[in-house]
Amino acid sequence: MRTTVGIIGAGPAGLLLARLLHNAGIDSVVLESRDRAYVERRQRAGILEQGTVDVLRAAGAGDRMDREGLRHDGIELRFDRRRHRVDFPALTGGRSVMVYAQTEVCKDLIALQLEDGGPLLFEAEALAVEGAETDRPRIRFRHGGADGAGGTEDVLECDYVVGCDGFWGIARTAVPDGRTFERTYPFGWLGILADVAPSHDELVYARHDRGFALLSMRSPSVSRLYLQVPADTDADSWSDDEIWAELERRFETDDDWTLRRGPITQKSVTPMRSYVHEPMRHGRLFLAGDAAHIVPPTGAKGLNLAVGDVVTLARALAHRAGTGSDALLDAYSATCLRRVWQAERFSYDMTTLLHRDPAATPFEDRLQVARLDRIASSRAAETDLAEAYTGFPIG
């Protein structure tokens, strides 16, 4: 097989890159180790920044998002039984965010790719990237069978290879002499999906002496909620009643707000870590999304960072095709990393602001409350949060 851009991974990064390249007249092939059903039900992020929303619309992938997504103009912070709303449009010149699950973004992009894009091969497991230092890199892959097992080996010859295959994929390991930066947090999130209408019309971030809690949603009838728990927690060790009781404690306020309960349909524990791989390029191999960086979910940045990466790369590839210049491709890693590190900073700030460290002293507890009180009482501090939450400039 032969193509201009070989893309490893059919998550949102790989699928959106394929769409952007198609719109620019550049051919690509997407290889995905899982089957289509798995990709379309894989639960991940659900908050789209303003820039991500704009990119999806411009790419022709925003119709269902605009019909079914939930625009949010703010978030609520809770601490010391108090409630403070951060008004995004008022603080950012009109920007907002959209609640629209990653699974739905993938469904939309898959449908577009299969309808008029280049080849999208499911159950095609990338085995190795070869010749990244040359002008004809190759992807060896196995196609057919569950997760590619038992299929036939083939080679995809490319001008460029893009690894959108996540932290555990093969692309990241094909970058020699990379430098990594990492932090692992001593807690995780116990997350649930529940068949009950959300108890608030915007996300609620709660700092409590017992730990952090987040109220989110997937639709007007499905709630998504999280509890800070020890990192080694087994989700099944918590009963449904224990989860709801703990959520009620951590969201408690001095007014008459109540938390709606409903049947819990899914439980899982998400680890919390920060990770950056530098550089994001080796020869003609480029990394994007979780293959290059991971953020704790507190800042809702993971999917949005991936979008920023592939928009930057698509522009660079289109520039190369139109002018013959490698200038934007050569700047890809540095350009992306500026945005990545700002997102890492914000996600770290939000995580340390709202989660209680198991080793925290009373002094550190009071500092957390003082930081939250500063946001609630200072327009400058509140604006800094709103600008970061709704998204850093792409490119």
Side-chain angles (χ1 to χ4, degrees):
M1 297 180 66
R2 182 81 176 86
T3 191
T4 302
V5 182
I7 301 171
I8 307 173
L15 291 166
L16 179 58
L17 177 60
R19 182 65 184 175
L20 295 173
L21 294 176
H22 171 77
N23 290 348
I26 300 171
D27 63 293
S28 68
V29 173
V30 183
L31 306 176
E32 168 57 47
S33 64
R34 304 282 191 163
D35 62 26
R36 179 177 179 179
Y38 179 90
V39 175
E40 292 188 338
R41 67 172 181 267
R42 184 166 45 194
Q43 292 291 331
R44 291 292 188 273
I47 305 296
L48 308 183
E49 295 174 354
Q50 182 69 66
T52 297
V53 170
D54 294 343
V55 166
L56 290 171
R57 286 172 178 158
D63 290 350
R64 192 163 70 93
M65 174 190 70
D66 284 331
R67 291 195 308 270
E68 301 178 13
L70 306 174
R71 172 179 163 143
H72 281 204
D73 287 335
I75 58 172
E76 183 172 289
L77 302 175
R78 292 194 185 179
F79 60 103
D80 276 0
R81 303 176 65 93
R82 296 158 53 191
R83 305 172 63 178
H84 176 76
R85 181 175 184 266
V86 179
D87 185 331
F88 292 156
L91 295 163
T92 65
R95 298 212 305 267
S96 62
V97 297
M98 182 83 75
V99 175
Y100 191 63
Q102 176 174 311
T103 50
E104 306 310 311
V105 173
C106 286
K107 289 176 186 176
D108 297 341
L109 290 169
I110 287 170
L112 286 169
Q113 187 73 6
L114 294 177
E115 179 182 349
D116 60 13
L120 167 54
L121 306 181
F122 292 103
E123 299 181 278
E125 180 187 11
L127 303 174
V129 176
E130 300 171 342
E133 307 88 351
T134 73
D135 60 1
R136 288 292 185 271
R138 299 151 42 101
I139 306 170
R140 284 197 298 108
F141 69 100
R142 184 186 298 116
H143 191 205
D147 297 333
T152 58
E153 285 201 20
D154 203 344
V155 173
L156 177 62
E157 297 182 346
C158 323
D159 292 336
Y160 305 94
V161 175
V162 185
C164 302
D165 51 345
F167 180 81
W168 300 108
I170 61 103
R172 183 178 61 86
T173 62
V175 178
D177 303 322
R179 188 178 181 191
T180 60
F181 304 84
E182 187 170 10
R183 179 186 177 109
T184 301
Y185 299 86
F187 42 75
W189 279 7
L190 171 61
I192 64 167
L193 279 175
D195 286 337
V196 61
S199 302
H200 194 60
D201 55 2
E202 294 177 334
L203 274 67
V204 178
Y205 288 78
R207 186 269 173 201
H208 193 277
D209 287 341
R210 296 176 63 91
F212 168 75
L214 172 62
L215 185 158
S216 183
M217 63 282 295
R218 282 292 178 264
S219 74
S221 60
V222 177
S223 293
R224 183 73 159 151
L225 301 108
Y226 299 92
L227 285 169
Q228 176 188 343
V229 294
D232 59 354
T233 296
D234 177 1
D236 292 332
S237 68
W238 284 71
S239 71
D240 291 5
D241 285 341
E242 288 172 332
I243 291 172
W244 287 118
E246 189 63 25
L247 286 165
E248 287 172 345
R249 278 190 287 266
R250 298 191 193 183
F251 285 124
E252 62 188 358
T253 63
D254 282 332
D255 59 17
D256 59 357
W257 183 90
T258 59
L259 179 68
R260 299 187 183 110
R261 294 191 178 200
I264 294 176
T265 59
Q266 185 184 106
K267 297 179 196 175
S268 62
V269 173
T270 301
M272 304 284 282
R273 61 193 297 244
S274 302
Y275 176 88
V276 179
H277 184 285
E278 296 186 3
M280 292 172 58
R281 176 192 181 181
H282 171 63
R284 292 201 170 198
L285 167 62
F286 299 82
L287 303 181
D290 285 358
H293 41 71
I294 295 171
V295 289
T298 324
K301 290 288 170 242
L303 168 60
N304 297 290
L305 274 182
V307 169
D309 292 345
V310 299
V311 168
T312 301
L313 184 54
R315 287 175 182 166
L317 289 166
H319 182 73
R320 174 67 173 80
T323 69
S325 169
D326 286 330
L328 295 186
L329 286 172
D330 291 342
Y332 169 75
S333 184
T335 300
C336 289
L337 284 169
R338 283 193 294 271
R339 189 170 188 265
V340 166
W341 277 110
Q342 285 302 315
E344 292 282 357
R345 173 198 62 80
F346 176 68
S347 299
Y348 172 83
D349 286 349
M350 287 285 283
T351 300
T352 57
L353 173 69
L354 295 162
H355 293 74
R356 191 175 189 281
D357 191 306
T361 65
F363 178 83
E364 290 165 324
D365 288 338
R366 292 298 294 270
L367 282 181
Q368 274 188 317
V369 175
R371 290 168 64 193
L372 284 159
D373 193 55
R374 172 66 176 170
I375 293 169
S377 60
S378 165
R379 185 176 179 88
E382 192 179 26
T383 299
D384 184 61
L385 187 155
E387 287 181 344
Y389 197 99
T390 55
F392 300 105
I394 295 174

